[in-house]
Amino acid sequence: MDEEEPKRKPAYQLGQDISLMSVDELNETIDALGEEIARLKREVDAKSDSRNAAEAFFKL
């Protein structure tokens, strides 16, 4: 049962040479980066909410 797993492309690296990427690859990268930006913003919001709650608690 030696099934070969599909080879995974390395993740996009900021500043990498994009001249050899196809339009489809560029669009996939844009979509993936958009999802990652949204994930990062959700985490910032969650941390900000937590910090604001702690500050409000200690001001009482």
Side-chain angles (χ1 to χ4, degrees):
M1 288 193 162
D2 282 78
E3 294 182 31
E4 290 185 30
E5 292 185 27
K7 292 182 181 178
R8 299 178 76 182
K9 286 186 179 181
Y12 172 79
Q13 297 291 313
L14 292 177
Q16 85 177 45
D17 180 12
I18 57 173
S19 64
L20 299 177
M21 293 175 75
S22 70
V23 171
D24 287 339
E25 289 173 320
L26 290 167
N27 283 323
E28 288 173 7
T29 301
I30 290 168
D31 292 342
L33 290 172
E35 291 171 10
E36 184 65 5
I37 288 167
R39 186 178 77 90
L40 292 166
K41 286 183 177 182
R42 286 191 302 272
E43 186 65 19
V44 167
D45 291 345
K47 288 180 183 258
S48 294
D49 291 345
S50 178
R51 181 179 179 156
N52 291 340
E55 288 176 352
F57 176 79
F58 287 108
K59 285 185 181 179
L60 294 176

